Amino acid sequence: MTIISTSIGMLPASTAFAADMSNGAANFYKSDKVTVQKVTFKNQYNMKIVGNLFMPKGLDQKTKSPAIIVGHPMGAVKEQSSNLYAQKLAEQGFVTLAIDNTFWGESEGQPRNAVLPDVYSEAFSAAVDYLGTSAFIDRERIGVLGICGSGSFVISAAKIDPRMKAIATVSMYDMGAANRNALNHSQTLEQRKQIIAEAAQQRYVEFTGGAIKYTGGTDHKIDANTHPIQREFYDFYRTPRGEFTPAGSSPEHTTHPTLSSNTKFMNFYPFNDIETISPRPMLFITGSEAHSKEFSEEAYRLAGQPKELVIVPGAGHVDLYDRVNLIPFDKLTAFFKANLK
């Protein structure tokens, strides 16, 4: 997640020595009620997407079931948050598919950690292709769930893919607005132009064979001066609570997009025409203390009916990644059961 300075209330500090496992933090949850199978399929541009397909144990594959595609936070991989959500929803009778987005995790795309929002959104349509051509899936009952940055990617995808029948987001980041304006519109136009100029110069470096440079993401060390939002992400991504390094990557690179490509987000406007998704239903879930709450509120304001905004009392942005005592799984289950019936 690219973090740009903002002013919010202080959040609890974490340390390098212990993870905050309160409120049932269970990122690496393993359900004994579902089966899991690694699957691969191609997107429209012939790039391999890898995902974990979860099914309730005893599922009758002679009947057609509803399915939900789950997208991980920006800079994360399917093992971080999305596997948890996919298993919890599979326990409720859905077939679920947690995917690694293009350029991340086990999915293809070079260079690694590159930013390309349209191709990110395409991954969700490719997942619909895969599920919708599976014999045991009802292609008229496929929903999508995006966590953090994936919330904006599923909205972007759903605008031009009516096969997505129900759209939900959790702790959503509008990755376009976050990079153009920063949180609470705290970034000036001059600051934006400076970021763009640095990225443009880096393109020369990489074009001539120089080293790739990374940006944003989560700090690797924290101290008394670390921003509270970085502390929040650090506690998830840099401690045993949620730390995960996919094969072929390294802890130094996880969560960090490439500097030269990250400006692609400046041209990403997922909320433009969001009202055209109607009458397909949309559910936005955010925490009352989430630094990202503005994005869910804005999407809700602009979306057409039917729509619902759920604000979880006392929850921060990252809390809804894995704290099962705070995540409203009952609300998500009810939403998808009502709209994928």
Side-chain angles (χ1 to χ4, degrees), residues 33-35 55-63:
K33 301 175 183 177
V34 307
T35 62
M55 294 184 285
K57 284 186 176 178
L59 179 74
D60 183 1
Q61 295 193 28
K62 294 179 182 178
T63 64

Side-chain angles (χ1 to χ4, degrees), residues 40-50 100-104 106-112 114 116 119-120 122-123 126:
T40 63
F41 50 93
K42 298 283 190 173
N43 70 6
Q44 198 171 47
Y45 305 101
N46 208 34
M47 302 166 74
K48 183 176 73 175
I49 306 292
V50 178
D100 276 331
N101 213 324
T102 320
F103 303 104
W104 299 88
E106 296 180 275
S107 292
E108 286 185 342
Q110 293 292 336
R112 303 309 293 162
L116 199 52
V119 176
Y120 288 173
E122 158 63 21

Side-chain angles (χ1 to χ4, degrees), residues 71-292:
H72 55 72
M74 177 59 203
V77 291
K78 62 185 179 299
E79 288 80 7
Q80 293 166 311
S81 191
S82 51
N83 272 355
L84 168 63
Y85 274 79
Q87 289 177 88
K88 289 290 188 179
L89 289 168
E91 289 177 346
Q92 301 303 315
F94 299 99
V95 174
T96 58
L97 177 59
I99 61 171
D100 276 331
N101 213 324
T102 320
F103 303 104
W104 299 88
E106 296 180 275
S107 292
E108 286 185 342
Q110 293 292 336
R112 303 309 293 162
N113 300 18
V115 169
L116 199 52
D118 283 350
V119 176
Y120 288 173
S121 298
E122 158 63 21
F124 292 92
S125 287
V128 176
D129 296 340
Y130 173 77
L131 290 171
T133 54
S134 298
F136 56 94
I137 299 298
D138 184 346
R139 65 171 57 178
E140 298 303 319
R141 292 192 290 161
I142 298 175
V144 290
L145 167 61
I147 304 161
C148 183
S150 281
S152 59
F153 308 147
V154 299
I155 289 172
S156 177
K159 289 189 297 184
I160 57 172
D161 195 338
R163 301 174 302 169
M164 300 174 185
K165 301 301 184 182
I167 299 92
T169 70
V170 176
S171 286
M172 189 204 4
Y173 250 76
D174 174 347
M175 294 305 304
N179 280 274
R180 283 188 300 273
N181 307 318
L183 298 174
N184 300 319
H185 292 258
S186 58
Q187 180 170 274
T188 67
L189 178 57
E190 285 308 310
Q191 288 171 321
R192 184 197 307 182
K193 289 182 176 180
Q194 183 177 353
I195 292 168
I196 293 170
E198 182 182 0
Q201 289 302 311
Q202 178 62 20
R203 291 182 64 114
Y204 282 132
V205 174
E206 293 171 13
F207 186 80
T208 54
I212 293 175
K213 190 173 181 179
Y214 298 86
T215 189
T218 302
D219 288 353
H220 295 267
K221 294 181 180 179
I222 60 173
D223 57 32
N225 298 317
T226 300
H227 193 281
I229 293 179
Q230 275 291 357
R231 290 179 180 275
E232 187 181 5
F233 282 111
Y234 179 94
D235 188 70
F236 183 80
Y237 287 112
R238 304 300 181 203
T239 76
R241 175 183 162 196
E243 185 171 14
F244 186 87
T245 302
S249 187
S250 69
E252 291 72 31
H253 292 155
T254 57
T255 79
H256 299 290
T258 65
L259 173 67
S260 61
S261 71
N262 197 59
T263 50
K264 295 291 192 298
F265 278 135
M266 301 285 188
N267 281 340
F268 183 49
Y269 292 84
F271 296 172
N272 282 9
D273 297 326
I274 190 175
E275 73 279 3
T276 63
I277 293 173
S278 176
R280 287 173 289 152
M282 302 192 73
L283 171 65
F284 308 99
I285 297 174
T286 187
S288 66
E289 309 308 308
H291 64 261
S292 58

